[in-house]
Amino acid sequence: MRNKRLIILLSVVVTVVLCIVVCGATFLVRHVEAYNYYVDSPDYDDKVIEASGIKTGSSIFFVDEAGITRKIESAFADVGVVNIERKFPDRVSINYVVYGNLFQFAGGDGYLQCYSSGRIFSSSATPQSGFFVVKPRDKANTEVGSFFQERTGYDMSLIKSFTDYMHSAGLIDAQITERVAFMDLTRDGYCYIRMRSGCSIEIKGTGDEFSTLLDDGWSVYAEGKPDFPVNRETGLIRVWMNRSDPDNPTPRVTYSPTDNEEYYSEHYLRA
């Protein structure tokens, strides 16, 4: 009886090993593809594939997604890997994004410029064009190559929510910087966004409701046309959550079509 069980166990083990060997020999990587989520970028596609280190002829089962991601993102500071897909029987697809120039902040002896990922890639003595200025509430890193803050940091979380919303409205990074002058996050619980047109959006609420409040404020700024915003020239848009009914809090918006320099000077630092 014991010999019979041993024979059965060995048969199962041999069968599994044979299956692994056969599958490993059958499902070999013959094609590696790379796709930029937002635009066609053949030059980047080839570079990403090369940096991935994936070898044709290797087993598709041994593709190391985490290792490949590290290689690519180490090779290119402006590239982020979204995911890596195995497409049986013989294809691997690398889906990635190229981060654009987005924001800068004061640090060290001048200013530090960041991609939309939050990674710092350059420094300068004075503010540079093509970025909006961020005034963080919490401590930020100042070393080129590092991230502005941890991805879950207070300021980084708000910047990411803001950027994600603007992307969802159809704007790319360059279009965001064309519209936004700076974000001031120094006042706890508030986000103050100054537009280049002179209009400002003050959001009271930096928790789970932030994106909802941002949507309401931006809709007022864009006059309900997110695909083709008509910028308000001056004024202050205040957005907050009305909690008079605790069971059904609702976003509230007010707009004052006058210059708000006095209010701005009282509550926030000048850019």
Side-chain angles (χ1 to χ4, degrees), residues 79-141:
V79 170
V81 176
V82 178
N83 59 32
I84 297 169
E85 299 178 279
R86 295 184 180 96
K87 297 181 177 180
F88 289 93
D90 60 0
R91 195 175 299 268
V92 175
S93 178
I94 304 168
N95 300 305
Y96 69 96
V97 294
V98 177
Y99 298 115
N101 300 346
L102 192 69
F103 68 93
Q104 59 190 326
F105 65 99
D109 297 327
Y111 282 79
L112 295 153
Q113 291 78 39
C114 299
Y115 293 121
S116 54
S117 64
R119 178 172 283 181
I120 302 167
F121 70 91
S122 67
S123 62
S124 61
T126 58
Q128 301 296 295
S129 61
F131 302 85
F132 64 80
V133 175
V134 168
K135 296 178 178 178
R137 185 195 71 170
D138 293 345
K139 183 179 179 181
N141 297 320

Side-chain angles (χ1 to χ4, degrees), residues 96-268:
Y96 69 96
V97 294
V98 177
Y99 298 115
N101 300 346
L102 192 69
F103 68 93
Q104 59 190 326
F105 65 99
D109 297 327
Y111 282 79
L112 295 153
Q113 291 78 39
C114 299
Y115 293 121
S116 54
S117 64
R119 178 172 283 181
I120 302 167
F121 70 91
S122 67
S123 62
S124 61
T126 58
Q128 301 296 295
S129 61
F131 302 85
F132 64 80
V133 175
V134 168
K135 296 178 178 178
R137 185 195 71 170
D138 293 345
K139 183 179 179 181
N141 297 320
T142 58
E143 182 180 351
V144 173
S146 65
F147 282 90
F148 162 74
Q149 285 179 352
E150 294 295 325
R151 295 174 189 267
T152 55
Y154 176 85
D155 305 290
M156 194 63 238
S157 295
L158 292 179
I159 294 169
K160 184 179 185 308
S161 294
F162 171 69
T163 307
D164 288 347
Y165 172 77
M166 299 296 268
H167 288 163
S168 72
L171 302 177
I172 61 174
D173 294 336
Q175 292 171 316
I176 298 172
T177 60
E178 286 174 357
R179 290 162 171 77
V180 180
F182 69 86
M183 289 179 66
D184 192 328
L185 306 173
T186 57
R187 195 173 170 213
D188 193 32
Y190 288 81
C191 174
Y192 185 87
I193 303 169
R194 182 80 163 180
M195 313 307 294
R196 297 193 186 277
S197 65
C199 191
S200 300
I201 303 173
E202 182 190 64
I203 300 171
K204 181 180 180 181
T206 54
D208 294 339
E209 71 273 28
F210 176 75
S211 295
T212 300
L213 296 174
L214 174 62
D215 188 17
D216 280 66
W218 184 259
S219 296
V220 171
Y221 168 73
E223 297 186 352
K225 301 175 183 177
D227 295 331
F228 190 73
V230 180
N231 295 350
R232 294 186 182 277
E233 294 303 320
T234 59
L236 173 63
I237 299 168
R238 279 190 172 127
V239 195
W240 72 98
M241 193 68 74
N242 181 4
R243 303 186 187 278
S244 57
D245 180 359
D247 296 327
N248 188 32
T250 55
R252 295 293 301 274
V253 182
T254 63
Y255 172 62
S256 174
T258 57
D259 198 349
N260 55 306
E261 280 298 327
E262 182 177 346
Y263 176 84
Y264 161 63
S265 300
E266 178 183 352
H267 291 288
Y268 300 95

